[in-house]
Amino acid sequence: MEYSYPIDLSWSPEEMVDVVNFLSCIEEAYESKIDPALMNDRYQRFKHVVPGKAEENTIYKDFKKASGYDGYIVVKAMKEALKKDNPKSITIKQHHPKL
């Protein structure tokens, strides 16, 4: 897929990597599957860079517009999976709208 990630140029290189790694997890959840613990780790790093809910939602919106992948749905699935005793991998079973 060719699209660009929503990146703020004021972020440090390390912060950009954390955001891209998180967005890559969203892609994995749609394209195959992702471990909820790994997703949570990447989400926590993302939240360190993007602590505000409004900015988080803007990034989700921009990413969904570019890729068709909805970060909100993946994070919600991650949180639900982590509530279980034995969380299983996260897979979002929706067709990619860009295909």
mmCIF file of all heavy atoms in Angstrom, residues 1-2 4 8 10 19 21 23 31-32 42 55 66 71 76 79 88 91-93:
data_model
loop_
_atom_site.group_PDB
_atom_site.id
_atom_site.type_symbol
_atom_site.label_atom_id
_atom_site.label_comp_id
_atom_site.label_asym_id
_atom_site.label_seq_id
_atom_site.Cartn_x
_atom_site.Cartn_y
_atom_site.Cartn_z
ATOM 1 N N MET A 1 0.838 -1.177 0.000
ATOM 2 C CA MET A 1 0.000 0.000 0.000
ATOM 3 C C MET A 1 0.888 1.246 0.000
ATOM 4 O O MET A 1 1.871 1.272 0.704
ATOM 5 C CB MET A 1 -0.858 0.034 1.243
ATOM 6 C CG MET A 1 -1.559 -1.212 1.583
ATOM 7 S SD MET A 1 -3.240 -1.112 1.073
ATOM 8 C CE MET A 1 -3.623 -2.802 1.290
ATOM 9 N N GLU A 2 0.451 2.205 -0.732
ATOM 10 C CA GLU A 2 1.201 3.449 -0.740
ATOM 11 C C GLU A 2 0.347 4.569 -0.211
ATOM 12 O O GLU A 2 -0.624 4.970 -0.843
ATOM 13 C CB GLU A 2 1.689 3.751 -2.155
ATOM 14 C CG GLU A 2 2.857 2.882 -2.505
ATOM 15 C CD GLU A 2 3.799 3.582 -3.437
ATOM 16 O OE1 GLU A 2 3.848 4.816 -3.464
ATOM 17 O OE2 GLU A 2 4.502 2.859 -4.139
ATOM 18 N N SER A 4 0.851 7.851 3.098
ATOM 19 C CA SER A 4 1.760 8.383 4.104
ATOM 20 C C SER A 4 1.096 8.390 5.468
ATOM 21 O O SER A 4 -0.122 8.508 5.588
ATOM 22 C CB SER A 4 2.248 9.769 3.723
ATOM 23 O OG SER A 4 1.227 10.539 3.173
ATOM 24 N N ASP A 8 3.716 14.513 12.681
ATOM 25 C CA ASP A 8 3.931 15.909 13.051
ATOM 26 C C ASP A 8 5.434 16.161 13.012
ATOM 27 O O ASP A 8 6.202 15.508 13.732
ATOM 28 C CB ASP A 8 3.364 16.161 14.458
ATOM 29 C CG ASP A 8 3.432 17.609 14.880
ATOM 30 O OD1 ASP A 8 4.347 18.337 14.427
ATOM 31 O OD2 ASP A 8 2.581 18.002 15.688
ATOM 32 N N SER A 10 7.149 18.334 14.251
ATOM 33 C CA SER A 10 7.716 18.836 15.506
ATOM 34 C C SER A 10 8.108 17.696 16.449
ATOM 35 O O SER A 10 8.804 17.919 17.438
ATOM 36 C CB SER A 10 6.739 19.779 16.220
ATOM 37 O OG SER A 10 5.627 19.061 16.725
ATOM 38 N N VAL A 19 5.077 6.544 16.828
ATOM 39 C CA VAL A 19 3.784 6.722 16.171
ATOM 40 C C VAL A 19 3.665 5.780 14.974
ATOM 41 O O VAL A 19 2.640 5.112 14.799
ATOM 42 C CB VAL A 19 3.567 8.194 15.755
ATOM 43 C CG1 VAL A 19 2.328 8.341 14.878
ATOM 44 C CG2 VAL A 19 3.453 9.079 16.997
ATOM 45 N N ASN A 21 5.223 2.938 14.512
ATOM 46 C CA ASN A 21 5.102 1.570 15.014
ATOM 47 C C ASN A 21 3.671 1.270 15.459
ATOM 48 O O ASN A 21 3.150 0.177 15.215
ATOM 49 C CB ASN A 21 6.067 1.320 16.168
ATOM 50 C CG ASN A 21 7.494 1.152 15.702
ATOM 51 O OD1 ASN A 21 7.761 0.863 14.545
ATOM 52 N ND2 ASN A 21 8.432 1.336 16.614
ATOM 53 N N LEU A 23 0.899 2.789 14.336
ATOM 54 C CA LEU A 23 0.064 2.729 13.138
ATOM 55 C C LEU A 23 0.300 1.423 12.370
ATOM 56 O O LEU A 23 -0.629 0.863 11.786
ATOM 57 C CB LEU A 23 0.308 3.949 12.258
ATOM 58 C CG LEU A 23 -0.070 5.300 12.890
ATOM 59 C CD1 LEU A 23 0.356 6.456 11.989
ATOM 60 C CD2 LEU A 23 -1.552 5.371 13.206
ATOM 61 N N GLU A 31 -4.673 -6.631 8.421
ATOM 62 C CA GLU A 31 -4.102 -7.468 7.375
ATOM 63 C C GLU A 31 -3.836 -8.900 7.813
ATOM 64 O O GLU A 31 -3.792 -9.795 6.981
ATOM 65 C CB GLU A 31 -2.827 -6.822 6.839
ATOM 66 C CG GLU A 31 -3.120 -5.501 6.131
ATOM 67 C CD GLU A 31 -1.876 -4.742 5.720
ATOM 68 O OE1 GLU A 31 -0.757 -5.254 5.929
ATOM 69 O OE2 GLU A 31 -2.032 -3.629 5.192
ATOM 70 N N SER A 32 -3.608 -9.123 9.100
ATOM 71 C CA SER A 32 -3.394 -10.481 9.594
ATOM 72 C C SER A 32 -3.897 -10.553 11.034
ATOM 73 O O SER A 32 -5.085 -10.729 11.258
ATOM 74 C CB SER A 32 -1.925 -10.894 9.475
ATOM 75 O OG SER A 32 -1.090 -10.012 10.200
ATOM 76 N N ARG A 42 2.720 -0.637 22.135
ATOM 77 C CA ARG A 42 2.844 0.386 21.087
ATOM 78 C C ARG A 42 1.857 1.529 21.312
ATOM 79 O O ARG A 42 2.171 2.689 21.062
ATOM 80 C CB ARG A 42 2.633 -0.235 19.704
ATOM 81 C CG ARG A 42 3.619 -1.343 19.375
ATOM 82 C CD ARG A 42 4.959 -0.792 18.895
ATOM 83 N NE ARG A 42 5.969 -1.800 18.768
ATOM 84 C CZ ARG A 42 6.168 -2.575 17.718
ATOM 85 N NH1 ARG A 42 5.380 -2.500 16.676
ATOM 86 N NH2 ARG A 42 7.154 -3.442 17.701
ATOM 87 N N GLU A 55 -6.161 15.090 19.646
ATOM 88 C CA GLU A 55 -5.085 14.853 18.683
ATOM 89 C C GLU A 55 -5.046 13.378 18.269
ATOM 90 O O GLU A 55 -4.826 13.054 17.101
ATOM 91 C CB GLU A 55 -3.732 15.267 19.256
ATOM 92 C CG GLU A 55 -2.614 15.198 18.232
ATOM 93 C CD GLU A 55 -1.259 15.642 18.764
ATOM 94 O OE1 GLU A 55 -1.127 15.959 19.961
ATOM 95 O OE2 GLU A 55 -0.317 15.653 17.957
ATOM 96 N N ALA A 66 -6.270 8.029 4.745
ATOM 97 C CA ALA A 66 -5.168 7.622 3.876
ATOM 98 C C ALA A 66 -5.152 6.119 3.610
ATOM 99 O O ALA A 66 -4.859 5.684 2.500
ATOM 100 C CB ALA A 66 -3.832 8.042 4.494
ATOM 101 N N GLY A 71 -8.163 3.156 13.499
ATOM 102 C CA GLY A 71 -7.424 2.929 14.735
ATOM 103 C C GLY A 71 -8.307 2.780 15.952
ATOM 104 O O GLY A 71 -8.020 1.995 16.854
ATOM 105 N N LYS A 76 -10.042 -0.324 20.597
ATOM 106 C CA LYS A 76 -11.184 -0.857 21.353
ATOM 107 C C LYS A 76 -11.080 -2.381 21.464
ATOM 108 O O LYS A 76 -11.267 -2.941 22.549
ATOM 109 C CB LYS A 76 -12.490 -0.463 20.667
ATOM 110 C CG LYS A 76 -13.719 -0.921 21.400
ATOM 111 C CD LYS A 76 -14.982 -0.458 20.690
ATOM 112 C CE LYS A 76 -16.202 -1.025 21.403
ATOM 113 N NZ LYS A 76 -17.433 -0.739 20.674
ATOM 114 N N LYS A 79 -8.333 -3.288 23.988
ATOM 115 C CA LYS A 79 -8.749 -3.112 25.383
ATOM 116 C C LYS A 79 -9.677 -4.228 25.825
ATOM 117 O O LYS A 79 -9.558 -4.732 26.947
ATOM 118 C CB LYS A 79 -9.402 -1.741 25.565
ATOM 119 C CG LYS A 79 -8.404 -0.598 25.473
ATOM 120 C CD LYS A 79 -9.074 0.756 25.597
ATOM 121 C CE LYS A 79 -8.064 1.884 25.499
ATOM 122 N NZ LYS A 79 -8.696 3.212 25.593
ATOM 123 N N LYS A 88 -6.452 -13.290 23.240
ATOM 124 C CA LYS A 88 -6.027 -13.857 21.956
ATOM 125 C C LYS A 88 -5.630 -12.720 21.023
ATOM 126 O O LYS A 88 -5.861 -11.554 21.310
ATOM 127 C CB LYS A 88 -7.154 -14.680 21.367
ATOM 128 C CG LYS A 88 -7.504 -15.850 22.247
ATOM 129 C CD LYS A 88 -8.520 -16.737 21.622
ATOM 130 C CE LYS A 88 -8.739 -17.884 22.583
ATOM 131 N NZ LYS A 88 -9.726 -18.809 22.216
ATOM 132 N N THR A 91 -7.735 -9.530 15.420
ATOM 133 C CA THR A 91 -7.914 -9.523 13.973
ATOM 134 C C THR A 91 -9.187 -8.750 13.685
ATOM 135 O O THR A 91 -10.234 -9.059 14.242
ATOM 136 C CB THR A 91 -8.054 -10.950 13.413
ATOM 137 O OG1 THR A 91 -6.893 -11.685 13.762
ATOM 138 C CG2 THR A 91 -8.221 -10.937 11.918
ATOM 139 N N ILE A 92 -9.099 -7.763 12.849
ATOM 140 C CA ILE A 92 -10.268 -6.993 12.458
ATOM 141 C C ILE A 92 -10.777 -7.584 11.149
ATOM 142 O O ILE A 92 -10.089 -7.561 10.134
ATOM 143 C CB ILE A 92 -9.933 -5.487 12.286
ATOM 144 C CG1 ILE A 92 -9.295 -4.939 13.556
ATOM 145 C CG2 ILE A 92 -11.196 -4.704 11.908
ATOM 146 C CD1 ILE A 92 -10.121 -5.041 14.819
ATOM 147 N N LYS A 93 -11.965 -8.129 11.199
ATOM 148 C CA LYS A 93 -12.509 -8.839 10.042
ATOM 149 C C LYS A 93 -13.408 -7.925 9.226
ATOM 150 O O LYS A 93 -14.611 -8.083 9.194
ATOM 151 C CB LYS A 93 -13.263 -10.073 10.500
ATOM 152 C CG LYS A 93 -12.341 -11.050 11.170
ATOM 153 C CD LYS A 93 -13.043 -12.304 11.572
ATOM 154 C CE LYS A 93 -12.030 -13.131 12.329
ATOM 155 N NZ LYS A 93 -12.186 -14.495 12.305
#
